[in-house]
Amino acid sequence: TEETSDTEKAYRIVMAGDAAVGKSSFLLRLCKNEFKLNSNATLGVDFQMKTFMVDGEPTLLQIWDTAGQERFRSIAKSYFRRADGVLLLYDVTCERSFLNVREWVDMIEDISQEDIPIMLVGNKCDLRQGAANCVPTSYGEKLAMTYNTLFCETSAKDGSNILEAVLHLARELTKHA
Ligand code: GDP
């Protein structure tokens, strides 16, 4: 946490989760209100900064998008070390990405200096209609309870819950600070 000016609070949030769960798309929707069907994979690390009103207070969020690929995990680790909070995404249509959440939580808890707030996000919920073998909402809720994280389901495609997820995490960071 740092104070950028007299009034503005600033937090550093890092995105986590397997490749292709929608981390870049989530960030693009949040910051530019855009969506691309075939986005390029993030190589290494990219970040966006934007000020949000959190409980009536301007709050600067610096959000880091890390690549989910195995070969970049070591780079990503140095970002988790300095994170105030984490957006941990899985893809509700990809069971593997949900099963891997555990590994991500373990890594984050291992690396971050203290208990940092995590928002567990089941993304691509727009695809649930008609898709077989999706991760049920109740599974996400249960896992979030197990790890004592926040939880929500989002769609970077239609924008649902994206801002809510971020504001909810930001509120938690404000409390935590
Ligand atoms: P990342 O590797 O985690 O950053 O994932 P990307 O943001 O690159 O997304 C991977 C693919 O999933 C891209 O083709 C996106 O267009 C698509 N995608 C991301 N989020 C959503 C979503 O909420 N709904 C749908 N239908 N597709 C999505």
Side-chain angles (χ1 to χ4, degrees):
T1 314
E2 37 195 286
E3 299 270 344
T4 48
S5 66
D6 290 347
T7 51
E8 202 173 42
K9 286 242 164 68
Y11 298 98
R12 198 185 260 271
I13 293 172
V14 178
M15 306 204 64
D18 284 5
V21 295
K23 298 181 295 299
S24 304
S25 302
F26 184 105
L27 203 49
L28 191 64
R29 171 61 75 194
L30 178 71
C31 294
K32 304 227 166 79
N33 204 19
E34 287 172 18
F35 178 77
K36 292 180 184 154
L37 203 53
N38 293 302
S39 55
N40 297 320
T42 306
L43 295 180
V45 179
D46 185 22
F47 81 93
Q48 295 286 334
M49 288 209 292
K50 193 171 175 178
T51 299
F52 297 88
M53 292 305 281
V54 181
D55 293 335
E57 295 231 20
T59 305
L60 180 70
L61 299 183
Q62 192 183 57
I63 307 179
W64 296 80
D65 179 15
T66 62
Q69 291 97 330
E70 198 57 51
R71 67 202 157 109
F72 290 115
R73 286 214 182 157
S74 59
I75 304 176
K77 282 183 181 177
S78 60
Y79 291 86
F80 289 108
R81 207 163 285 135
R82 291 181 294 161
D84 297 309
V86 175
L87 284 161
L88 173 48
L89 273 66
Y90 64 91
D91 172 349
V92 297
T93 70
C94 173
E95 193 183 20
R96 185 75 250 165
S97 72
F98 180 71
L99 296 173
N100 283 343
V101 162
R102 182 201 184 94
E103 230 183 272
W104 282 103
V105 172
D106 286 347
M107 191 269 272
I108 293 158
E109 290 187 340
D110 237 37
I111 272 179
S112 59
Q113 333 206 319
E114 49 197 290
D115 256 358
I116 60 171
I118 298 174
M119 168 62 83
L120 179 63
V121 177
N123 188 44
K124 306 197 191 180
C125 64
D126 61 283
L127 293 178
R128 186 176 267 135
Q129 285 297 326
N133 302 320
C134 284
V135 180
T137 304
S138 61
Y139 284 31
E141 287 169 347
K142 246 191 203 155
L143 196 64
M145 276 213 266
T146 305
Y147 289 124
N148 196 25
T149 70
L150 305 166
F151 174 70
C152 71
E153 286 187 340
T154 63
S155 165
K157 185 175 183 190
D158 66 25
S160 60
N161 262 341
I162 298 284
L163 182 60
E164 289 81 355
V166 171
L167 292 182
H168 196 172
L169 178 61
R171 239 173 260 128
E172 196 66 23
L173 296 177
T174 316
K175 275 196 264 166
H176 212 253

mmCIF file of all heavy atoms in Angstrom, residues 133-168:
data_model
loop_
_atom_site.group_PDB
_atom_site.id
_atom_site.type_symbol
_atom_site.label_atom_id
_atom_site.label_comp_id
_atom_site.label_asym_id
_atom_site.label_seq_id
_atom_site.Cartn_x
_atom_site.Cartn_y
_atom_site.Cartn_z
ATOM 1 N N ASN A 133 -20.318 -30.289 -18.530
ATOM 2 C CA ASN A 133 -19.196 -30.392 -17.576
ATOM 3 C C ASN A 133 -18.634 -29.074 -17.076
ATOM 4 O O ASN A 133 -17.433 -28.934 -16.911
ATOM 5 C CB ASN A 133 -18.041 -31.187 -18.195
ATOM 6 C CG ASN A 133 -18.480 -32.567 -18.616
ATOM 7 O OD1 ASN A 133 -19.256 -33.206 -17.904
ATOM 8 N ND2 ASN A 133 -18.029 -33.003 -19.762
ATOM 9 N N CYS A 134 -19.504 -28.102 -16.857
ATOM 10 C CA CYS A 134 -19.009 -26.850 -16.295
ATOM 11 C C CYS A 134 -18.824 -26.996 -14.792
ATOM 12 O O CYS A 134 -19.453 -27.840 -14.157
ATOM 13 C CB CYS A 134 -19.979 -25.721 -16.578
ATOM 14 S SG CYS A 134 -19.886 -25.159 -18.274
ATOM 15 N N VAL A 135 -17.973 -26.171 -14.240
ATOM 16 C CA VAL A 135 -17.771 -26.168 -12.791
ATOM 17 C C VAL A 135 -18.965 -25.458 -12.151
ATOM 18 O O VAL A 135 -19.212 -24.291 -12.430
ATOM 19 C CB VAL A 135 -16.464 -25.412 -12.429
ATOM 20 C CG1 VAL A 135 -16.265 -25.407 -10.919
ATOM 21 C CG2 VAL A 135 -15.263 -26.022 -13.148
ATOM 22 N N PRO A 136 -19.746 -26.169 -11.323
ATOM 23 C CA PRO A 136 -20.917 -25.547 -10.712
ATOM 24 C C PRO A 136 -20.535 -24.396 -9.784
ATOM 25 O O PRO A 136 -19.466 -24.423 -9.164
ATOM 26 C CB PRO A 136 -21.556 -26.678 -9.894
ATOM 27 C CG PRO A 136 -20.967 -27.930 -10.418
ATOM 28 C CD PRO A 136 -19.597 -27.570 -10.914
ATOM 29 N N THR A 137 -21.417 -23.418 -9.709
ATOM 30 C CA THR A 137 -21.193 -22.266 -8.832
ATOM 31 C C THR A 137 -20.913 -22.708 -7.398
ATOM 32 O O THR A 137 -20.037 -22.165 -6.716
ATOM 33 C CB THR A 137 -22.427 -21.346 -8.848
ATOM 34 O OG1 THR A 137 -22.704 -20.979 -10.203
ATOM 35 C CG2 THR A 137 -22.192 -20.084 -8.038
ATOM 36 N N SER A 138 -21.644 -23.738 -6.955
ATOM 37 C CA SER A 138 -21.505 -24.188 -5.568
ATOM 38 C C SER A 138 -20.095 -24.725 -5.280
ATOM 39 O O SER A 138 -19.601 -24.608 -4.163
ATOM 40 C CB SER A 138 -22.543 -25.262 -5.258
ATOM 41 O OG SER A 138 -22.355 -26.385 -6.091
ATOM 42 N N TYR A 139 -19.431 -25.286 -6.307
ATOM 43 C CA TYR A 139 -18.056 -25.764 -6.120
ATOM 44 C C TYR A 139 -17.117 -24.582 -5.853
ATOM 45 O O TYR A 139 -16.228 -24.646 -5.007
ATOM 46 C CB TYR A 139 -17.555 -26.521 -7.366
ATOM 47 C CG TYR A 139 -18.091 -27.915 -7.530
ATOM 48 C CD1 TYR A 139 -19.358 -28.263 -7.082
ATOM 49 C CD2 TYR A 139 -17.325 -28.891 -8.184
ATOM 50 C CE1 TYR A 139 -19.855 -29.541 -7.266
ATOM 51 C CE2 TYR A 139 -17.813 -30.176 -8.364
ATOM 52 C CZ TYR A 139 -19.081 -30.489 -7.912
ATOM 53 O OH TYR A 139 -19.554 -31.752 -8.106
ATOM 54 N N GLY A 140 -17.336 -23.529 -6.616
ATOM 55 C CA GLY A 140 -16.522 -22.326 -6.427
ATOM 56 C C GLY A 140 -16.728 -21.748 -5.045
ATOM 57 O O GLY A 140 -15.773 -21.385 -4.356
ATOM 58 N N GLU A 141 -17.991 -21.683 -4.633
ATOM 59 C CA GLU A 141 -18.316 -21.140 -3.306
ATOM 60 C C GLU A 141 -17.653 -21.958 -2.200
ATOM 61 O O GLU A 141 -17.120 -21.413 -1.236
ATOM 62 C CB GLU A 141 -19.836 -21.134 -3.100
ATOM 63 C CG GLU A 141 -20.553 -20.079 -3.911
ATOM 64 C CD GLU A 141 -22.072 -20.249 -3.917
ATOM 65 O OE1 GLU A 141 -22.574 -21.330 -3.498
ATOM 66 O OE2 GLU A 141 -22.752 -19.320 -4.366
ATOM 67 N N LYS A 142 -17.704 -23.271 -2.377
ATOM 68 C CA LYS A 142 -17.126 -24.164 -1.370
ATOM 69 C C LYS A 142 -15.624 -23.994 -1.263
ATOM 70 O O LYS A 142 -15.062 -23.922 -0.172
ATOM 71 C CB LYS A 142 -17.420 -25.619 -1.759
ATOM 72 C CG LYS A 142 -18.345 -26.310 -0.788
ATOM 73 C CD LYS A 142 -18.396 -27.802 -1.064
ATOM 74 C CE LYS A 142 -19.690 -28.363 -0.505
ATOM 75 N NZ LYS A 142 -20.117 -29.592 -1.199
ATOM 76 N N LEU A 143 -14.982 -23.922 -2.421
ATOM 77 C CA LEU A 143 -13.525 -23.766 -2.440
ATOM 78 C C LEU A 143 -13.125 -22.436 -1.796
ATOM 79 O O LEU A 143 -12.154 -22.363 -1.044
ATOM 80 C CB LEU A 143 -13.004 -23.836 -3.875
ATOM 81 C CG LEU A 143 -11.501 -24.058 -4.006
ATOM 82 C CD1 LEU A 143 -11.099 -25.415 -3.440
ATOM 83 C CD2 LEU A 143 -11.063 -23.960 -5.459
ATOM 84 N N ALA A 144 -13.899 -21.411 -2.095
ATOM 85 C CA ALA A 144 -13.627 -20.088 -1.526
ATOM 86 C C ALA A 144 -13.745 -20.144 -0.003
ATOM 87 O O ALA A 144 -12.957 -19.524 0.716
ATOM 88 C CB ALA A 144 -14.579 -19.054 -2.105
ATOM 89 N N MET A 145 -14.707 -20.902 0.483
ATOM 90 C CA MET A 145 -14.856 -21.049 1.945
ATOM 91 C C MET A 145 -13.675 -21.786 2.536
ATOM 92 O O MET A 145 -13.161 -21.421 3.591
ATOM 93 C CB MET A 145 -16.151 -21.783 2.264
ATOM 94 C CG MET A 145 -17.345 -20.851 2.296
ATOM 95 S SD MET A 145 -18.520 -21.414 3.503
ATOM 96 C CE MET A 145 -19.578 -22.392 2.463
ATOM 97 N N THR A 146 -13.248 -22.846 1.842
ATOM 98 C CA THR A 146 -12.103 -23.633 2.304
ATOM 99 C C THR A 146 -10.864 -22.762 2.464
ATOM 100 O O THR A 146 -10.125 -22.881 3.439
ATOM 101 C CB THR A 146 -11.779 -24.750 1.287
ATOM 102 O OG1 THR A 146 -12.960 -25.519 1.086
ATOM 103 C CG2 THR A 146 -10.650 -25.643 1.772
ATOM 104 N N TYR A 147 -10.642 -21.902 1.474
ATOM 105 C CA TYR A 147 -9.436 -21.068 1.495
ATOM 106 C C TYR A 147 -9.661 -19.702 2.115
ATOM 107 O O TYR A 147 -8.757 -18.871 2.133
ATOM 108 C CB TYR A 147 -8.883 -20.908 0.083
ATOM 109 C CG TYR A 147 -8.271 -22.173 -0.449
ATOM 110 C CD1 TYR A 147 -8.710 -22.733 -1.635
ATOM 111 C CD2 TYR A 147 -7.248 -22.801 0.255
ATOM 112 C CE1 TYR A 147 -8.147 -23.900 -2.118
ATOM 113 C CE2 TYR A 147 -6.681 -23.967 -0.222
ATOM 114 C CZ TYR A 147 -7.138 -24.510 -1.402
ATOM 115 O OH TYR A 147 -6.584 -25.663 -1.885
ATOM 116 N N ASN A 148 -10.891 -19.468 2.570
ATOM 117 C CA ASN A 148 -11.212 -18.172 3.161
ATOM 118 C C ASN A 148 -10.930 -17.009 2.193
ATOM 119 O O ASN A 148 -10.292 -16.029 2.557
ATOM 120 C CB ASN A 148 -10.427 -17.997 4.477
ATOM 121 C CG ASN A 148 -10.990 -16.873 5.308
ATOM 122 O OD1 ASN A 148 -12.169 -16.539 5.184
ATOM 123 N ND2 ASN A 148 -10.152 -16.277 6.132
ATOM 124 N N THR A 149 -11.386 -17.181 0.961
ATOM 125 C CA THR A 149 -11.242 -16.112 -0.026
ATOM 126 C C THR A 149 -12.622 -15.564 -0.378
ATOM 127 O O THR A 149 -13.641 -16.165 -0.036
ATOM 128 C CB THR A 149 -10.610 -16.619 -1.346
ATOM 129 O OG1 THR A 149 -11.544 -17.463 -2.026
ATOM 130 C CG2 THR A 149 -9.325 -17.383 -1.089
ATOM 131 N N LEU A 150 -12.633 -14.440 -1.058
ATOM 132 C CA LEU A 150 -13.876 -13.923 -1.626
ATOM 133 C C LEU A 150 -14.165 -14.743 -2.876
ATOM 134 O O LEU A 150 -13.288 -15.432 -3.382
ATOM 135 C CB LEU A 150 -13.699 -12.450 -1.990
ATOM 136 C CG LEU A 150 -13.219 -11.535 -0.859
ATOM 137 C CD1 LEU A 150 -12.767 -10.201 -1.425
ATOM 138 C CD2 LEU A 150 -14.317 -11.362 0.176
ATOM 139 N N PHE A 151 -15.395 -14.647 -3.368
ATOM 140 C CA PHE A 151 -15.741 -15.415 -4.565
ATOM 141 C C PHE A 151 -16.778 -14.715 -5.428
ATOM 142 O O PHE A 151 -17.706 -14.089 -4.899
ATOM 143 C CB PHE A 151 -16.287 -16.800 -4.178
ATOM 144 C CG PHE A 151 -16.797 -17.594 -5.356
ATOM 145 C CD1 PHE A 151 -15.906 -18.102 -6.298
ATOM 146 C CD2 PHE A 151 -18.149 -17.826 -5.537
ATOM 147 C CE1 PHE A 151 -16.363 -18.817 -7.399
ATOM 148 C CE2 PHE A 151 -18.617 -18.553 -6.634
ATOM 149 C CZ PHE A 151 -17.714 -19.050 -7.567
ATOM 150 N N CYS A 152 -16.613 -14.804 -6.732
ATOM 151 C CA CYS A 152 -17.690 -14.415 -7.641
ATOM 152 C C CYS A 152 -17.475 -15.064 -8.998
ATOM 153 O O CYS A 152 -16.420 -15.626 -9.271
ATOM 154 C CB CYS A 152 -17.791 -12.904 -7.778
ATOM 155 S SG CYS A 152 -16.441 -12.212 -8.685
ATOM 156 N N GLU A 153 -18.520 -15.032 -9.812
ATOM 157 C CA GLU A 153 -18.421 -15.521 -11.182
ATOM 158 C C GLU A 153 -18.584 -14.334 -12.119
ATOM 159 O O GLU A 153 -19.399 -13.447 -11.864
ATOM 160 C CB GLU A 153 -19.496 -16.582 -11.454
ATOM 161 C CG GLU A 153 -19.177 -17.900 -10.780
ATOM 162 C CD GLU A 153 -20.147 -19.005 -11.170
ATOM 163 O OE1 GLU A 153 -21.256 -18.696 -11.649
ATOM 164 O OE2 GLU A 153 -19.783 -20.175 -10.980
ATOM 165 N N THR A 154 -17.792 -14.334 -13.173
ATOM 166 C CA THR A 154 -17.781 -13.183 -14.089
ATOM 167 C C THR A 154 -17.821 -13.632 -15.545
ATOM 168 O O THR A 154 -17.619 -14.815 -15.856
ATOM 169 C CB THR A 154 -16.469 -12.373 -13.928
ATOM 170 O OG1 THR A 154 -15.365 -13.205 -14.294
ATOM 171 C CG2 THR A 154 -16.285 -11.857 -12.512
ATOM 172 N N SER A 155 -18.050 -12.669 -16.414
ATOM 173 C CA SER A 155 -17.826 -12.877 -17.841
ATOM 174 C C SER A 155 -17.109 -11.659 -18.388
ATOM 175 O O SER A 155 -17.642 -10.556 -18.348
ATOM 176 C CB SER A 155 -19.150 -13.075 -18.587
ATOM 177 O OG SER A 155 -18.926 -12.934 -19.976
ATOM 178 N N ALA A 156 -15.901 -11.873 -18.882
ATOM 179 C CA ALA A 156 -15.175 -10.772 -19.523
ATOM 180 C C ALA A 156 -15.836 -10.464 -20.858
ATOM 181 O O ALA A 156 -15.740 -9.363 -21.368
ATOM 182 C CB ALA A 156 -13.714 -11.159 -19.733
ATOM 183 N N LYS A 157 -16.556 -11.458 -21.403
ATOM 184 C CA LYS A 157 -17.195 -11.256 -22.699
ATOM 185 C C LYS A 157 -18.362 -10.281 -22.590
ATOM 186 O O LYS A 157 -18.434 -9.317 -23.326
ATOM 187 C CB LYS A 157 -17.670 -12.584 -23.282
ATOM 188 C CG LYS A 157 -18.226 -12.423 -24.681
ATOM 189 C CD LYS A 157 -18.582 -13.727 -25.325
ATOM 190 C CE LYS A 157 -19.067 -13.480 -26.742
ATOM 191 N NZ LYS A 157 -19.640 -14.708 -27.323
ATOM 192 N N ASP A 158 -19.290 -10.558 -21.668
ATOM 193 C CA ASP A 158 -20.434 -9.644 -21.562
ATOM 194 C C ASP A 158 -20.270 -8.622 -20.423
ATOM 195 O O ASP A 158 -21.116 -7.758 -20.240
ATOM 196 C CB ASP A 158 -21.758 -10.416 -21.460
ATOM 197 C CG ASP A 158 -21.900 -11.229 -20.176
ATOM 198 O OD1 ASP A 158 -21.254 -10.872 -19.163
ATOM 199 O OD2 ASP A 158 -22.654 -12.208 -20.180
ATOM 200 N N GLY A 159 -19.185 -8.744 -19.703
ATOM 201 C CA GLY A 159 -18.869 -7.739 -18.684
ATOM 202 C C GLY A 159 -19.498 -7.982 -17.322
ATOM 203 O O GLY A 159 -19.240 -7.239 -16.381
ATOM 204 N N SER A 160 -20.287 -9.043 -17.202
ATOM 205 C CA SER A 160 -21.003 -9.202 -15.938
ATOM 206 C C SER A 160 -20.069 -9.473 -14.763
ATOM 207 O O SER A 160 -19.155 -10.288 -14.848
ATOM 208 C CB SER A 160 -22.101 -10.276 -16.040
ATOM 209 O OG SER A 160 -21.547 -11.504 -16.364
ATOM 210 N N ASN A 161 -20.311 -8.715 -13.715
ATOM 211 C CA ASN A 161 -19.605 -8.862 -12.433
ATOM 212 C C ASN A 161 -18.137 -8.457 -12.409
ATOM 213 O O ASN A 161 -17.483 -8.594 -11.368
ATOM 214 C CB ASN A 161 -19.708 -10.311 -11.926
ATOM 215 C CG ASN A 161 -20.802 -10.455 -10.901
ATOM 216 O OD1 ASN A 161 -21.239 -9.469 -10.304
ATOM 217 N ND2 ASN A 161 -21.258 -11.668 -10.678
ATOM 218 N N ILE A 162 -17.604 -7.996 -13.520
ATOM 219 C CA ILE A 162 -16.169 -7.660 -13.573
ATOM 220 C C ILE A 162 -15.846 -6.533 -12.590
ATOM 221 O O ILE A 162 -14.977 -6.680 -11.715
ATOM 222 C CB ILE A 162 -15.749 -7.258 -15.011
ATOM 223 C CG1 ILE A 162 -15.954 -8.420 -15.977
ATOM 224 C CG2 ILE A 162 -14.320 -6.731 -15.040
ATOM 225 C CD1 ILE A 162 -14.934 -9.518 -15.913
ATOM 226 N N LEU A 163 -16.579 -5.426 -12.729
ATOM 227 C CA LEU A 163 -16.317 -4.284 -11.847
ATOM 228 C C LEU A 163 -16.631 -4.646 -10.395
ATOM 229 O O LEU A 163 -15.883 -4.299 -9.480
ATOM 230 C CB LEU A 163 -17.151 -3.079 -12.302
ATOM 231 C CG LEU A 163 -16.951 -1.790 -11.509
ATOM 232 C CD1 LEU A 163 -15.500 -1.316 -11.581
ATOM 233 C CD2 LEU A 163 -17.889 -0.693 -12.028
ATOM 234 N N GLU A 164 -17.728 -5.367 -10.202
ATOM 235 C CA GLU A 164 -18.131 -5.770 -8.852
ATOM 236 C C GLU A 164 -17.028 -6.577 -8.174
ATOM 237 O O GLU A 164 -16.729 -6.369 -6.993
ATOM 238 C CB GLU A 164 -19.421 -6.606 -8.895
ATOM 239 C CG GLU A 164 -20.678 -5.817 -9.244
ATOM 240 C CD GLU A 164 -20.855 -5.568 -10.735
ATOM 241 O OE1 GLU A 164 -19.941 -5.928 -11.531
ATOM 242 O OE2 GLU A 164 -21.905 -5.002 -11.109
ATOM 243 N N ALA A 165 -16.435 -7.506 -8.928
ATOM 244 C CA ALA A 165 -15.372 -8.350 -8.363
ATOM 245 C C ALA A 165 -14.203 -7.497 -7.885
ATOM 246 O O ALA A 165 -13.670 -7.702 -6.788
ATOM 247 C CB ALA A 165 -14.892 -9.354 -9.417
ATOM 248 N N VAL A 166 -13.834 -6.531 -8.704
ATOM 249 C CA VAL A 166 -12.680 -5.695 -8.382
ATOM 250 C C VAL A 166 -12.985 -4.772 -7.198
ATOM 251 O O VAL A 166 -12.158 -4.601 -6.301
ATOM 252 C CB VAL A 166 -12.246 -4.895 -9.633
ATOM 253 C CG1 VAL A 166 -11.208 -3.859 -9.285
ATOM 254 C CG2 VAL A 166 -11.715 -5.856 -10.684
ATOM 255 N N LEU A 167 -14.187 -4.198 -7.202
ATOM 256 C CA LEU A 167 -14.547 -3.302 -6.101
ATOM 257 C C LEU A 167 -14.645 -4.054 -4.780
ATOM 258 O O LEU A 167 -14.249 -3.544 -3.729
ATOM 259 C CB LEU A 167 -15.871 -2.586 -6.399
ATOM 260 C CG LEU A 167 -15.813 -1.572 -7.549
ATOM 261 C CD1 LEU A 167 -17.159 -0.892 -7.726
ATOM 262 C CD2 LEU A 167 -14.714 -0.546 -7.326
ATOM 263 N N HIS A 168 -15.161 -5.264 -4.851
ATOM 264 C CA HIS A 168 -15.269 -6.085 -3.646
ATOM 265 C C HIS A 168 -13.882 -6.371 -3.060
ATOM 266 O O HIS A 168 -13.655 -6.233 -1.857
ATOM 267 C CB HIS A 168 -15.996 -7.388 -4.002
ATOM 268 C CG HIS A 168 -16.494 -8.143 -2.827
ATOM 269 N ND1 HIS A 168 -17.300 -9.250 -2.932
ATOM 270 C CD2 HIS A 168 -16.297 -7.965 -1.509
ATOM 271 C CE1 HIS A 168 -17.558 -9.713 -1.724
ATOM 272 N NE2 HIS A 168 -16.964 -8.955 -0.846
#
